């Protein structure tokens, strides 16, 4: 039985109470006691929540050296995270991934940061430092987490100030010139009245891909800081403030070609050597700054009113090589400026032992300005347009001769022989004003002593407005644009300022039954309706389109069992029916949201953990997800993607780990925490093997692979100092984190290699009471 649990093992680490100081990371890795979560907007034992939920606590993050969302995903069944660039992470729950192609497109997975929604994915990718816990809910969470939680929600909860002095300092080094520094200090300014906590992080490493044309790619340079304050002016009123900032100043992404060799003649991207355009700077810059103010007034122990107000701003500046080669064919850049304001009021009630819940209202607004710049050298781009890619770069990696003019082909009429420019530039600017207001209610009622009903509803009014304008920069018109119908531009047809506006009403709801078999186990069943809002978008020709909202009907069945301080097991079955599935697809020179019709997904999620002794614990999880597009649409007509698998969705995945601890002496403690995670085959596009069209090119897919991680820690107890050595991808597994990208528009897909072996050492000192 133990070995079976180890194979299925899971992870529901104890959520640290917000009134505690940093925990002893060596002596507490995975707690098997009561797990407290706030997924239903109130404190509950994990066992009592009638939903599929995983909770990851700070102890496990520290003991596995988990600092990013990508690493976190291994410990949550059904969660996958792929990050090519910081501002476009792909967060996937149960096979459904968010793609924010249009500035009005909303996520399918809602990320909450201390109770505040970050509906744009580029705002959600945060460094995991000084964390209290992370809760991941699977299935539609519209009534609890709002309009952006069509298929799940990730709630990041940081440590809050407490009325005691303390904190920690940590620093580390690693390969690829890795450096990390992290610290937090808790200051009780007025005992039990005014408390302050300040935390910060610096994390950097050189790029693991060398650009043979100069510089490094796929590196990291992140600085973050957070100030949290709690004021308790009376027994009834509490005030909380969180101010957060993170800046990423990273080198460019290694979009690498498998068609074209690098300057050494190599086409194996896992040599980690690229040859992107010489003399150009490729970069990924992003900053996120925000604040939230939380007020809670308790009329009594049974009734309270809370308010959450937040403002966040996100700036992105990104430039990349679209063809993944030394040829100066596809040179693109993006600039994004997005601001969000939210306000929520929530009245919570518990008039008796059988009924509790809340009602409330919220307002959300977002302003987005997104600018794309395109600067092709048409003397090399012409080889792609005329489908002569073999002439652009030789088999030895040497750049071919430029095509000075359009071929003298009589079929090209007056365009034949026209000179091709090398310095054409153009720009497209998209804007959006997105607004939403909603009212909601959610309650739990005890029908019988052992049977509880939980139900909720949310009604939302949305108003989206999006605009587009495109123009030529400078004085050099495109010649190839005459062939594409977009002259004097090449990619974005010149478009005067155009704006469209639409408004929508919608509703989401849920109903769950929880039956308590005994004090340590229960079973639940639930239904929920999820929705992704309509999308307003423009194609590269400046034509507007409004896509229908996507909906999902979700059915869940789950079982949870706990043996205190010994064993935890949960199992979840789910079945999802999708209508108007919003897929992202290449349509000529456009990457747009398209209606893929109907789809169905179902699967199983298992997690378990077991304490075999005071010195050995096992934990892990397993997920099976069968996510496919239906054969026919709602009218009975065949669908384009019939039978295709959802992108970024492994059918099978699992993670397994253990924590072994030893007492070396009265002063020294040793712990060892290895983990292994595995994923089966995935596709990077919903079209699966339809792309790329050229059968000689590598498919946009990743075969099954596994990643081994380990953390060995030695603690000196008297001074609470821990020295640890860690490894991520310890076996040096070769895998992709992206495929297709901009080059797909022109028949030259690019591929992004995942991180190689990363090793390092870290020293951490916890101080205070």
């Amino acid at each position: 039985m133990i070995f079976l649990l180890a194979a299925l093992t899971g992870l529901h680490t104890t959520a640290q109470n917000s009134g505690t100081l940093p925990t002893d990371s060596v002596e507490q890795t995975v707690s098997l006691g009561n797990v407290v979560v706030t997924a239903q907007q109130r404190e509950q034992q994990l066992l009592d929540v009638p939903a599929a939920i995983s909770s990851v606590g700070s102890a496990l993050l520290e003991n596995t050296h988990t600092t990013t969302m990508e690493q976190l995903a291994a410990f949550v069944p059904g969660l996958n995270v792929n990050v090519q660039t910081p501002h476009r992470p792909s967060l996937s729950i149960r096979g459904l991934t968010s793609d924010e192609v249009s500035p009005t497109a909303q996520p399918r997975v809602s990320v909450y940061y201390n109770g505040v929604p970050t509906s744009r994915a580029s705002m959600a990718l945060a460094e995991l430092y000084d964390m209290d816990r992370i809760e991941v809910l699977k299935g539609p969470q519209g009534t609890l987490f709002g309009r952006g939680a069509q298929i799940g929600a990730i709630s990041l909860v940081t440590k809050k100030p407490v009325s005691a002095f303390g904190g920690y300092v940590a620093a580390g080094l690693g390969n690829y010139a890795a450096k990390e520094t992290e610290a937090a200090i808790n200051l009780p300014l007025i005992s039990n009245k005014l408390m302050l906590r300040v935390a910060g992080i610096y994390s950097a490493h050189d790029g693991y891909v060398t650009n043979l044309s100069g510089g490094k790619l796929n590196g990291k340079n992140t600085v973050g800081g957070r100030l949290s304050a709690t004021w308790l002016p009376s027994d009834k009123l509490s005030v909380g403030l969180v101010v957060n900032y993170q800046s990423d100043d990273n080198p460019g992404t290694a979009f690498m070609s498998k068609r074209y060799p690098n300057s050494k003649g190599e086409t194996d991207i896992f040599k980690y050597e690229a040859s992107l355009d010489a003399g150009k700077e490729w970069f990924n810059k992003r900053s996120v700054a925000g604040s939230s103010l939380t007020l809670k007034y308790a009329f009594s122990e049974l009734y309270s009113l809370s308010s959450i107000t937040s403002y966040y701003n996100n700036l992105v500046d990104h430039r990349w090589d679209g063809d993944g080669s030394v040829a100066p064919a596809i040179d693109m850049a993006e600039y994004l400026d997005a601001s969000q304001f939210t306000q929520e009021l929530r009245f919570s009630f518990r008039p008796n032992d059988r009924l509790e819940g809340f009602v409330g209202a919220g307002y959300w607004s977002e302003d987005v300005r997104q600018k794309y710049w395109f600067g092709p050298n048409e003397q090399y781009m012409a080889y792609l347009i005329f489908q002569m890619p073999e002439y652009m770069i030789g088999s030895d990696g040497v750049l071919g001769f430029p095509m000075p003019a359009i071929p003298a082909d009589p079929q090209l009429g007056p365009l034949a022989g026209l000179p091709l420019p090398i310095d054409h530039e153009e720009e497209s600017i998209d804007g959006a004003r997105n607004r939403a207001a909603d009212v909601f209610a959610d309650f739990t009622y005890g029908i019988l002593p052992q049977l509880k009903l939980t139900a909720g509803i949310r009604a939302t009014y949305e108003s989206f407005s999006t605009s587009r304008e495109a123009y030529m920069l400078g004085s050099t018109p495109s010649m190839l644009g005459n062939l594409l119908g977009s002259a004097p531009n090449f990619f974005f047809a010149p478009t005067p300022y155009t704006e469209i506006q639409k408004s929508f009403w919608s509703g989401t709801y849920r109903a769950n039954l929880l039956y308590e078999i005994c004090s340590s186990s229960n079973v639940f069943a639930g239904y929920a309706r999820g929705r992704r809002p309509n999308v307003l978008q423009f194609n590269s020709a400046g034509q507007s389109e409004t896509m229908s909202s996507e909906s999902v009907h979700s059915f869940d069945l789950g079982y949870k069992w706990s043996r205190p301080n010994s064993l935890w097991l949960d199992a979840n079955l789910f079945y999802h029916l999708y209508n108007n599935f919003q897929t992202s697809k290449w349509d000529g020179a456009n990457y747009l949201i398209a209606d893929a019709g109907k789809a169905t997904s179902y699967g199983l999620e298992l997690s378990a953990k077991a304490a075999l002794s005071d010195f050995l614990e096992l934990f892990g999880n397993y997920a099976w997800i069968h996510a496919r597009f239906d054969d026919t649409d709602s009218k009975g007509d065949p669908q384009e993607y019939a039978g295709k698998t959802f992108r970024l969705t492994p059918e099978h995945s699992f993670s397994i780990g253990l924590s072994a601890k030893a007492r070396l002496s009265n002063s020294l403690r040793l712990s060892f925490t290895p983990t292994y995670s595995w994923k089966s085959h995935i596709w990077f596009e919903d079209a699966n093997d339809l792309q790329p069209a050229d059968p000689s090119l590598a498919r946009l897919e990743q075969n099954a692979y596994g990643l081994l991680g380990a953390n060995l820690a030695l603690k000196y107890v008297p001074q609470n100092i821990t020295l640890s050595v860690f490894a991520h991808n310890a076996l040096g597994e070769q895998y992709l984190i992206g495929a297709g990208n901009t080059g797909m528009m022109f028949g030259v897909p690019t591929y992004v290699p995942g991180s190689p072996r990363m090793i390092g050492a870290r020293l951490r000192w916890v101080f205070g009471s």
Side-chain angles (χ1 to χ4, degrees):
M1 180 65 176
I2 291 300
F3 291 102
L4 176 62
L5 291 173
L8 302 177
T9 277
L11 170 80
H12 295 284
T13 59
T14 299
Q16 301 293 324
N17 185 285
S18 60
T20 62
L21 289 171
T23 59
D24 181 334
S25 63
V26 172
E27 306 223 355
Q28 180 183 354
T29 301
V30 178
S31 170
L32 298 179
N34 294 326
V35 179
V36 178
V37 295
T38 55
Q40 296 195 122
Q41 310 300 334
R42 58 186 180 272
E43 287 193 355
Q44 291 178 285
Q45 301 297 322
L46 182 61
L47 189 68
D48 297 329
V49 179
I53 176 175
S54 298
S55 179
V56 180
S58 61
L60 187 96
L61 296 177
E62 175 64 24
N63 281 273
T64 56
H65 192 257
T66 295
T67 60
T68 67
M69 296 277 276
E70 303 103 297
Q71 296 164 354
L72 170 74
F75 302 122
V76 179
L79 174 66
N80 285 287
V81 178
N82 283 60
V83 181
Q84 292 190 146
T85 63
H87 70 290
R88 290 199 183 278
S90 294
L91 309 177
S92 173
I93 290 181
R94 290 181 172 176
L96 209 57
T97 304
S98 296
D99 291 301
E100 297 167 7
V101 177
S102 164
T104 64
Q106 301 301 305
R108 289 159 162 160
V109 177
S110 179
V111 178
Y112 267 60
Y113 194 82
N114 289 317
V116 173
T118 55
S119 68
R120 192 155 295 276
S122 57
M123 295 187 186
L125 195 65
E127 288 291 301
L128 304 180
Y129 67 99
D130 201 35
M131 299 299 298
D132 186 72
R133 65 186 183 277
I134 301 165
E135 300 172 13
V136 181
L137 287 86
K138 276 91 72 165
Q141 304 298 327
T143 62
L144 293 173
F145 287 91
R147 43 195 298 287
Q150 178 202 4
I151 206 60
I154 302 173
S155 178
L156 307 178
V157 183
T158 64
K159 288 185 179 293
K160 301 300 187 297
V162 295
S163 193
F165 174 77
Y168 68 92
V169 178
L173 297 173
N175 60 340
Y176 296 97
K179 300 173 287 294
E180 60 177 64
T181 304
E182 182 182 334
I185 185 169
N186 198 91
L187 300 171
L189 302 180
I190 302 176
S191 180
N192 297 317
K193 288 290 185 181
L194 182 60
M195 296 149 282
L196 189 70
R197 188 177 185 90
V198 181
I201 190 172
Y202 169 68
S203 179
H205 64 75
D206 289 347
Y208 57 80
V209 175
T210 298
N211 185 7
L212 298 176
S213 302
K216 298 285 187 177
L217 303 165
N218 287 24
K220 181 181 182 181
N221 185 26
T222 296
V223 176
R226 182 186 311 121
L227 182 147
S228 305
T230 299
W231 180 38
L232 304 174
S234 71
D235 293 339
K236 294 182 177 294
L237 179 63
S238 64
V239 181
L241 174 68
V242 178
V243 180
N244 189 68
Y245 176 77
Q246 181 173 319
S247 173
D248 302 294
D249 188 2
N250 300 345
T253 299
F255 294 112
M256 301 171 69
S257 175
K258 288 187 176 182
R259 176 195 288 272
Y260 296 121
N262 62 23
S263 59
K264 291 183 176 181
E266 291 279 358
T267 56
D268 182 2
I269 68 172
F270 292 108
K271 298 288 186 179
Y272 300 104
E273 291 181 322
S275 289
L276 307 189
D277 297 13
K280 295 181 180 179
E281 182 187 4
W282 314 108
F283 54 83
N284 289 295
K285 299 182 179 181
R286 181 191 72 141
S287 66
V288 179
S291 60
S292 61
L293 178 67
T294 303
L295 295 89
K296 182 176 181 179
Y297 185 82
F299 300 97
S300 68
E301 294 184 355
L302 304 179
Y303 301 96
S304 64
L305 179 66
S306 61
S307 167
I308 300 180
T309 308
S310 73
Y311 176 80
Y312 268 78
N313 177 256
N314 177 208
L315 295 175
V316 167
D317 197 1
H318 172 213
R319 187 173 179 181
W320 68 98
D321 185 328
D323 54 81
S325 73
V326 73
I330 308 173
D331 187 356
M332 295 196 72
E334 177 188 10
Y335 176 82
L336 174 74
D337 184 353
S339 298
Q340 292 184 6
F341 170 81
T342 65
Q343 173 63 60
E344 180 185 276
L345 292 174
R346 184 186 301 265
F347 177 73
S348 301
F349 55 86
R350 186 168 60 87
N352 53 57
D353 292 338
R354 298 180 65 181
L355 177 65
E356 63 179 325
F358 58 82
V359 296
Y363 175 75
W364 168 84
S365 70
E366 178 185 53
D367 293 290
V368 183
R369 186 175 186 268
Q370 186 177 41
K371 179 171 67 176
Y372 283 104
W373 172 87
F374 186 46
N377 181 330
E378 296 199 357
Q379 294 188 5
Y380 285 94
M381 177 62 80
Y383 288 119
L384 305 181
I385 297 302
F386 291 112
Q387 300 183 18
M388 304 163 60
E390 65 275 12
Y391 293 100
M392 194 165 78
I393 296 175
S395 59
D396 56 359
V398 175
L399 182 64
F401 291 104
M403 184 187 296
I406 293 177
D409 186 339
Q411 295 184 9
L412 297 176
L415 297 179
L418 289 179
L420 291 169
I422 63 172
D423 58 351
H424 168 72
E425 295 181 70
E426 59 191 70
E427 200 167 70
S428 170
I429 298 178
D430 290 84
R433 294 191 303 275
N434 305 322
R435 307 288 186 264
D438 52 16
V439 293
F440 51 85
D442 197 274
F443 71 91
T444 297
Y445 179 73
I447 301 174
L448 298 170
Q450 292 178 291
L451 181 64
K452 293 182 179 180
L453 168 68
T454 298
I457 186 170
R458 182 180 293 257
T460 303
Y461 172 77
E462 299 161 324
S463 176
F464 294 161
S465 173
T466 187
S467 62
R468 156 71 64 88
E469 59 180 315
Y471 44 80
M472 183 181 75
L473 295 173
S475 57
T476 305
S478 166
M479 288 295 106
L480 295 176
N482 291 287
L483 299 171
L484 304 175
S486 53
N489 282 349
F490 174 91
F491 191 47
F492 303 107
T495 306
Y497 181 86
T498 306
E499 183 174 339
I500 56 174
Q501 189 273 334
K502 299 285 185 179
S503 298
F504 311 98
W505 284 95
S506 65
T508 56
Y509 38 85
R510 69 166 184 155
N512 300 71
L513 285 172
L514 176 74
Y515 181 76
E516 183 179 307
I517 300 173
C518 63
S519 61
S520 60
S521 69
N522 63 47
V523 63
F524 69 87
Y527 163 77
R529 180 185 185 272
R531 175 184 177 273
R532 191 188 194 192
N534 306 68
V535 176
L536 281 62
Q537 62 185 0
F538 290 91
N539 62 23
S540 60
Q543 301 167 327
S544 64
E545 184 178 25
T546 301
M547 303 304 302
S548 299
S549 62
E550 176 183 282
S551 64
V552 57
H553 296 278
S554 171
F555 303 87
D556 275 79
L557 180 65
Y559 172 75
K560 300 178 184 181
W561 175 46
S562 173
R563 181 183 294 170
N565 301 314
S566 175
L567 186 66
W568 168 272
L569 174 68
D570 73 45
N572 301 286
L573 292 168
F574 67 89
Y575 186 76
H576 296 160
L577 297 171
Y578 296 94
N579 290 304
N580 301 323
F581 192 99
Q582 295 177 359
T583 186
S584 299
K585 62 180 294 187
W586 297 104
D587 184 5
N590 301 288
Y591 189 60
L592 300 171
I593 296 291
D595 189 339
K598 297 174 63 178
T600 302
S601 68
Y602 49 85
L604 167 69
E605 296 159 346
L606 298 172
S607 61
K609 58 188 178 182
L612 305 185
S613 71
D614 292 340
F615 304 101
L616 181 63
E617 296 170 344
L618 299 176
F619 55 92
N621 62 70
Y622 167 77
W624 170 58
I625 302 174
H626 186 276
R628 303 284 191 274
F629 292 94
D630 293 354
D631 291 337
T632 58
D633 61 18
S634 57
K635 298 179 181 178
D637 298 325
Q639 297 192 145
E640 179 183 5
Y641 290 168
K644 303 297 182 183
T645 300
F646 291 6
R647 64 187 297 261
L648 300 178
T649 305
E651 185 165 2
H652 301 278
S653 61
F654 72 84
S655 175
I656 186 170
L658 65 85
S659 173
K661 293 170 280 189
R663 183 189 298 270
L664 302 183
S665 69
N666 290 334
S667 299
L668 294 177
R669 305 287 188 272
L670 184 69
S671 73
F672 180 53
T673 309
T675 60
Y676 181 77
S677 60
W678 182 88
K679 297 178 182 178
S680 63
H681 175 277
I682 64 171
W683 293 102
F684 288 102
E685 296 290 343
D686 288 331
N688 294 180
D689 56 356
L690 297 179
Q691 295 180 344
D694 185 347
S696 68
L697 293 177
R699 303 293 91 186
L700 308 184
E701 61 183 320
Q702 167 62 52
N703 291 326
Y705 70 97
L707 300 178
L708 175 66
N711 191 70
L712 179 66
L714 178 66
K715 180 179 180 180
Y716 181 60
V717 177
Q719 297 298 323
N720 214 349
I721 296 175
T722 302
L723 174 65
S724 60
V725 292
F726 59 85
H728 297 290
N729 190 11
L731 301 179
E733 183 80 0
Q734 297 177 351
Y735 64 101
L736 294 173
I737 58 174
N741 307 305
T742 309
M744 271 300 301
M745 290 185 288
F746 306 101
V748 285
T750 58
Y751 305 80
V752 182
S755 173
R757 181 185 298 109
M758 293 286 189
I759 58 176
R762 192 170 190 248
L763 190 66
R764 187 173 190 259
W765 173 43
V766 179
F767 59 88
S769 57

